[in-house]
Amino acid sequence: MASLDIDPDKVCFVVARFRELEEEDLIEDPDATEEEDPDIDHEEAFDGLEGGEEELDPLREELEGFIEALPEDEQIVIVALAWLGRGDYDIEEWDDALEAAADQHNERTAGYLLGMPRLADFLEEGLVAFGLSCVDFDENRI
């Protein structure tokens, strides 16, 4: 049986903050953009990130800082969980998802995640695959 090697509250914190960004229109509306290419290589998605510095909203900075402060293994789990929730992998392929996320891990992980339309939905779906939910999430526990 697959195990989730991250405190679900950390994932739920990312979900909650990402939803706040969406509400403030700081995240692109996925319905207003082209659908994601299901054939895109994960490596290409990471490589496509721009390295330039831009002014960020304080909420986005907080979320990016939170993700960057996570240990590398937890960043990898969050990426794999997003891919699981997006349907790139199923729960039986969890180890493959983790391996792929580890192979692609770099210092741009936070930017990659925050650039993913519907990240909150994907993370919640990933948690559901583990029988978990953000329903009882309390930010004060983080």
Side-chain angles (χ1 to χ4, degrees):
M1 178 91 184
S3 68
L4 186 64
D5 294 328
I6 189 171
D7 182 343
D9 281 347
K10 291 180 180 180
V11 177
C12 293
F13 179 83
V14 173
V15 168
R17 286 296 191 259
F18 192 83
R19 292 215 187 278
E20 288 179 40
L21 285 172
E22 289 175 321
E23 288 172 11
E24 291 184 16
D25 291 327
L26 298 172
I27 300 294
E28 287 186 26
D29 179 357
D31 296 329
T33 62
E34 293 181 24
E35 283 198 26
E36 288 186 42
D37 182 356
D39 296 323
I40 192 165
D41 183 274
H42 298 304
E43 184 173 345
E44 291 173 11
F46 270 97
D47 290 343
L49 294 172
E50 294 182 20
E53 294 294 319
E54 59 184 54
E55 278 197 40
L56 298 177
D57 175 90
L59 181 59
R60 185 180 176 104
E61 282 184 24
E62 174 193 11
L63 184 52
E64 193 167 274
F66 179 81
I67 293 168
E68 289 172 350
L70 291 172
E72 181 178 320
D73 60 325
E74 291 183 349
Q75 290 180 24
I76 290 167
V77 170
I78 287 182
V79 170
L81 195 62
W83 292 344
L84 177 68
R86 187 169 66 182
D88 296 352
Y89 296 90
D90 57 41
I91 195 69
E92 290 80 24
E93 300 169 309
W94 179 243
D95 289 337
D96 295 335
L98 287 172
E99 184 177 324
D103 288 345
Q104 300 305 316
H105 183 269
N106 60 47
E107 70 279 351
R108 299 182 312 248
T109 297
Y112 170 73
L113 287 168
L114 296 179
M116 186 182 293
R118 300 186 47 220
L119 174 65
D121 294 335
F122 297 148
L123 290 175
E124 285 186 314
E125 287 299 318
L127 286 174
V128 167
F130 283 93
L132 301 168
S133 158
C134 290
V135 171
D136 296 323
F137 170 66
D138 178 9
E139 283 188 41
N140 295 325
R141 292 188 298 205
I142 296 285

